[in-house]
Amino acid sequence: MGDRSLDELLASANETIAAQSRELERLQADAALVERFREALRVAATGAAVGSPVSHTRLLEMVVETAVHIISANAGALLLLDEESDELVFAVAVGGKSEEVKSFRVPLGHGVAGLVAASGQPMAIAGTDSVETAQEIAEGIGYQPRSVLCVPLFYGGEVVGVLELLDKLDAEAFYPDDIGALSLFANQAAVAIAQSKAHQGALGILRSALVGLGEDAGELREVVREVATDIEGDEAHRQEIELARLVHEVASRGPEERAACKAILRALAAYVSSPAGTRTGNVG
Amino acid sequence: MSGSGYRPAFSEAFNPDSLPILDPISPIEDVSEEWAWGGARGRGVRVGIIDSGVEEGHRMVGPVDGWLAASMAAGDVRLSSQPHEDAMGHGTACAGIVRSHAPDCELYSIRVLGPGASTGEAFIAGLRWAIENGMHVCNLSLGTTKKAYYAALHELADLAYFRNVILVTAANNFPISSFPCEYASVISVAAHEGRDPETYYYNPMPPVEFGAPGINVRVAWRGGGTSLVTGNSFAAPHVTGFVARLLEKHPDLTSFQVKSVLRALAANMRREEL
């Protein structure tokens, strides 16, 4: 300490303070973002009855993007089970030549994805000498992966699809821990996908998909930001949410208000859905 | 009732005239590796690989002694004893691991996974064939989560148990309910991180009772190649191999004795205290 002047000490202290306040600002920005996300989810939950803020396809893309990001993979794909034909259908792919994968199908039991779907067992393979092993992926994504991690998507105790990641970044193979993490995520995602399919509003559902990953909220920042932007950017959707808010406001006043609101809206719905020529002025 | 000849169901087996006389085995804690499988190579033991098929002639697999493929045709299961290929590599991997422990065993490829198969019905048909056609031990590195097959598979697992056909199953890689690995009548195996293929552990907290290597292990794969894999699928065949060796030396062991011997020789047994 004796070697350093008071000025130097002060400068050092100031530097520390500056670094700390930068960190504080960053944390506050994170907190603000999380808060913004929460608000988006709340609004979306309210608006779920009148419109889906995120398309089903976008939700599937987000699932794969998030998985690729969390597990540090080069590419990923989501395949959903077509029970009619017992085939897996490529739904979305991220990375690779993803625009080429549409409508690609893998028979159940064929290749890594088909085997994972048939057995319900997650699988990690790497260093495969045989190029045929991951042929369905190679064809679907447009290149031959060095390592593959594939997990089933379970919904209601049944396999509904598989989530497949390709080429662990900076490693020869996916880590054993990745299998557990991706399996967990896939299960969350399966719930989201099934619910989205049932037209329950994708954003409210994404919340359940992300519940299991709550502690890693920072990791998901990019995805969250995109979601929030999607919502705010869509004027039609904003109006639908405004409608939902009005309904919520009226309905929360009591059972009579709720009944009246319902009767009015039902009559209005019947009115607007009838052929224009048959409409009468009476909406009561 | 006395002297009438009436006996409750199943009691004939215990009639002094027909009561079978059993050969003793050593007290279970005295069982040694030498007694169990010292020098054994699985000779004369038929091992069913119920999987995606086995690639015959792969350098880590060698010959395949018998074939069965179950596939679906117009809603019905069709069985074929023609030689087939491995649909993806998984069955070849399992067969290679079994072969590494029991080089002289007879391998049977029972294909229930692959295009045209991969249904619960095909799986059940393949397993039934194995039990009824002389397999001594079967490797099942697969399962189903569909409740619809619970009863049928349970019945088959019990049938195997009573016939002393040992079913070695891989636990599901994800903690979700699946069959047949959760039944008490099978030997259920999960992966441990160790590298030594001879080291396995007993888990006193079932349903998964044994642990064997299965994390980042190099295995045989289709096309004559190898692959670096992780999964409980690749742990089960180690135990299948041990059972093949055990049954060469002790072909009359019952299902429950096999499990007891495996437990007695597990690496986490304090054998020095015996």
Side-chain angles (χ1 to χ4, degrees):
Chain A
M1 190 167 151
D3 296 343
R4 302 178 70 183
S5 70
L6 194 60
D7 282 350
E8 279 173 337
L9 283 172
L10 265 175
S12 162
N14 279 332
E15 211 169 274
T16 309
I17 291 167
Q20 281 173 344
S21 61
R22 275 198 304 274
E23 178 64 11
L24 205 62
E25 275 172 27
R26 195 185 64 76
L27 287 173
Q28 281 167 347
D30 276 4
L33 188 73
V34 167
E35 193 45 51
R36 195 163 150 234
F37 186 44
R38 280 213 191 95
E39 175 63 12
L41 289 172
R42 199 185 63 72
V43 169
T46 316
V50 289
S52 173
V54 178
S55 74
H56 188 66
T57 309
R58 180 70 195 117
L59 176 75
L60 300 183
E61 278 169 7
M62 280 161 51
V63 164
V64 181
E65 279 168 9
T66 308
V68 164
H69 179 68
I70 293 173
I71 309 287
S72 299
N74 187 47
L78 183 75
L79 297 90
L80 294 175
L81 185 64
D82 176 359
E83 287 192 33
E84 295 283 303
S85 62
D86 266 347
E87 287 176 320
L88 288 168
V89 183
F90 257 102
V92 289
V94 172
K97 299 173 183 171
S98 56
E99 68 279 2
E100 294 174 17
V101 305
K102 302 300 176 203
S103 81
F104 193 82
R105 284 170 174 261
V106 179
L108 213 54
H110 187 87
V112 179
L115 189 88
V116 167
S119 67
Q121 297 262 0
M123 218 162 80
I125 64 169
T128 310
D129 292 347
S130 162
V131 289
E132 291 176 25
T133 301
Q135 197 56 36
E136 87 287 355
I137 316 161
E139 284 174 16
I141 300 278
Y143 79 102
Q144 191 70 45
R146 288 170 289 106
S147 56
V148 179
L149 172 58
C150 187
V151 302
L153 267 66
F154 280 107
Y155 185 72
E158 308 252 317
V159 175
V160 295
V162 302
L163 182 55
E164 193 160 319
L165 297 187
L166 309 173
D167 287 336
K168 176 78 176 176
L169 296 178
D170 307 321
E172 187 195 357
F174 285 94
Y175 302 127
D177 285 350
D178 293 339
I179 300 177
L182 190 63
S183 295
L184 203 66
F185 176 76
N187 267 17
Q188 302 283 344
V191 173
I193 291 164
Q195 290 184 352
S196 165
K197 230 172 148 182
H199 306 293
Q200 289 186 25
L203 238 205
I205 291 151
L206 182 64
R207 170 173 41 188
S208 53
L210 299 179
V211 160
L213 303 157
E215 286 165 12
D216 294 327
E219 289 271 301
L220 299 167
R221 203 173 312 146
E222 282 313 306
V223 176
V224 170
R225 186 170 284 140
E226 275 189 67
V227 172
T229 312
D230 277 1
I231 297 164
E232 287 164 5
D234 185 346
E235 179 57 29
H237 178 64
R238 212 197 318 245
Q239 288 182 10
E240 285 174 348
I241 288 172
E242 180 58 26
L243 252 178
R245 273 185 175 149
L246 286 171
V247 171
H248 182 70
E249 195 181 313
V250 174
S252 62
R253 288 178 184 272
E256 286 176 20
E257 286 82 355
R258 256 198 307 278
C261 183
K262 206 163 123 186
I264 292 167
L265 285 176
R266 186 177 286 155
L268 180 62
Y271 175 73
V272 299
S273 61
S274 60
T278 65
R279 285 180 188 169
T280 69
N282 184 2
V283 297
Chain B
M1 195 78 56
S2 66
S4 69
Y6 169 80
R7 286 176 177 278
F10 304 111
S11 60
E12 316 81 79
F14 307 105
N15 184 324
D17 298 332
S18 56
L19 192 63
I21 304 305
L22 311 176
D23 293 323
I25 65 168
S26 312
I28 201 71
E29 306 304 0
D30 288 349
V31 160
S32 66
E33 287 187 21
E34 182 52 38
W35 175 88
W37 50 57
R41 295 165 61 88
R43 182 170 298 280
V45 178
R46 288 188 287 273
V47 181
I49 307 292
I50 302 180
D51 213 290
S52 58
V54 175
E55 183 173 292
E56 184 171 34
H58 190 292
R59 65 190 156 83
M60 294 166 79
V61 174
V64 173
D65 292 277
W67 307 89
L68 184 92
S71 58
M72 303 303 292
D76 290 327
V77 180
R78 208 166 54 87
L79 299 181
S80 163
S81 56
Q82 293 300 307
H84 51 246
E85 294 184 341
D86 183 346
M88 64 109 29
H90 193 264
T92 300
C94 294
I97 295 167
V98 172
R99 185 64 92 196
S100 71
H101 289 288
D104 294 346
C105 75
E106 294 173 26
L107 280 178
Y108 284 73
S109 175
I110 300 162
R111 182 166 127 170
V112 300
L113 284 176
S118 304
T119 64
E121 285 81 8
F123 179 32
I124 285 167
L127 179 57
R128 181 177 289 284
W129 182 91
I131 296 166
E132 293 178 344
N133 287 274
M135 294 303 114
H136 297 112
V137 51
C138 293
N139 189 82
L140 294 94
S141 289
L142 75 172
T144 178
T145 57
K146 295 193 178 183
K147 294 265 190 311
Y149 301 116
Y150 182 92
L153 281 171
H154 203 300
E155 191 189 331
L156 278 179
D158 277 355
L159 181 68
Y161 180 91
F162 291 135
R163 291 192 180 186
N164 295 327
V165 179
I166 312 300
L167 303 185
V168 182
T169 68
N172 198 302
N173 290 314
F174 190 70
I176 187 167
S177 201
S178 73
F179 329 109
C181 70
E182 287 177 14
Y183 304 150
S185 49
V186 305
I187 293 173
S188 180
V189 188
H192 69 60
E193 290 197 58
R195 282 282 177 272
D196 176 17
E198 295 290 327
T199 299
Y200 73 94
Y201 303 107
Y202 176 72
N203 169 31
M205 303 282 283
V208 175
E209 291 171 290
F210 294 94
I215 296 174
N216 279 336
V217 290
R218 189 157 289 282
V219 295
W221 211 254
R222 64 174 281 182
T226 63
S227 206
L228 193 64
V229 295
T230 291
N232 292 333
S233 288
F234 313 105
H238 288 285
V239 175
T240 302
F242 302 145
V243 172
R245 290 200 308 222
L246 176 65
L247 292 179
E248 176 192 323
K249 291 188 80 171
H250 308 281
D252 295 328
L253 289 185
T254 64
S255 302
F256 58 87
Q257 285 175 313
V258 167
K259 212 183 256 194
S260 297
V261 170
L262 286 174
R263 178 188 176 280
L265 295 177
N268 52 332
M269 171 71 72
R270 268 199 292 260
R271 298 193 64 78
E272 69 276 12
E273 294 190 0
L274 293 174

